[in-house]
């Protein structure tokens, strides 16, 4: 099934996997695969930008994709590209913040 149709459980699992006190997986190592539910991608971007996304297009163009994936008619490729661009930018920003925080923590430790 589509993971983003089960949004609450998927995001709870993602949070558990990246939680330092539980699984402590690297943020970039946790990936959610989707056929492209744009509203849920945007929600994930707001709530968990540190989780990677994988998009299953199933076809090289919208017409073929619509024939293969029933929900594709509601989620055009152009909208998916925009949502994925936004997610990637948020992911990179989150990663930059984490790296800067780690550098500052390492510097503080070295100063002590």
């Amino acid at each position: 099934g589509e993971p983003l149709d089960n949004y609450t459980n998927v995001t709870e699992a993602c949070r558990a996997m990246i939680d330092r006190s539980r699984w402590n997986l690297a943020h970039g190592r946790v990936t959610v695969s989707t056929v492209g539910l744009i509203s849920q991608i945007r929600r994930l971007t707001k709530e968990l930008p540190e989780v990677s996304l994988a998009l299953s297009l199933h076809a090289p163009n919208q017409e073929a994709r619509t024939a293969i994936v029933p929900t594709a008619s509601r989620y055009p490729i152009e909208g998916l590209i925009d949502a994925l661009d936004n997610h990637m930018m948020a992911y990179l920003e989150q990663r930059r913040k984490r790296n800067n925080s780690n550098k500052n923590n390492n510097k503080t430790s070295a100063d002590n």
Side-chain angles (χ1 to χ4, degrees):
E2 167 59 40
L4 294 180
D5 274 339
N6 192 12
Y7 187 86
T8 300
N9 289 325
V10 167
T11 54
E12 284 177 14
C14 289
R15 285 185 177 96
M17 286 186 262
I18 61 176
D19 184 331
R20 291 180 189 260
S21 66
R22 296 169 85 184
W23 290 75
N24 195 27
L25 295 177
H27 292 82
R29 300 285 186 201
V30 177
T31 302
V32 174
S33 180
T34 178
V35 295
L37 307 182
I38 294 172
S39 61
Q40 297 297 61
I41 290 172
R42 293 191 189 286
R43 185 175 170 195
L44 186 69
T45 298
K46 289 178 186 168
E47 296 178 18
L48 281 169
E50 60 267 44
V51 171
S52 296
L53 274 173
L55 177 64
S56 300
L57 279 175
H58 294 89
N61 59 55
Q62 185 65 28
E63 183 181 344
R65 190 168 170 268
T66 301
I68 298 168
V69 181
T71 60
S73 61
R74 293 188 310 233
Y75 304 105
I77 288 175
E78 296 78 16
L80 286 172
I81 290 170
D82 183 57
L84 292 172
D85 271 351
N86 289 335
H87 189 82
M88 180 54 72
M89 295 307 291
Y91 173 85
L92 292 172
E93 178 64 18
Q94 192 75 17
R95 185 171 157 185
R96 185 188 62 74
K97 287 178 183 177
R98 256 193 335 273
N99 287 341
N100 286 341
S101 175
N102 289 340
K103 285 178 188 175
N104 290 338
N105 289 341
N106 290 339
K107 183 179 180 200
T108 303
S109 296
D111 291 344
N112 292 331

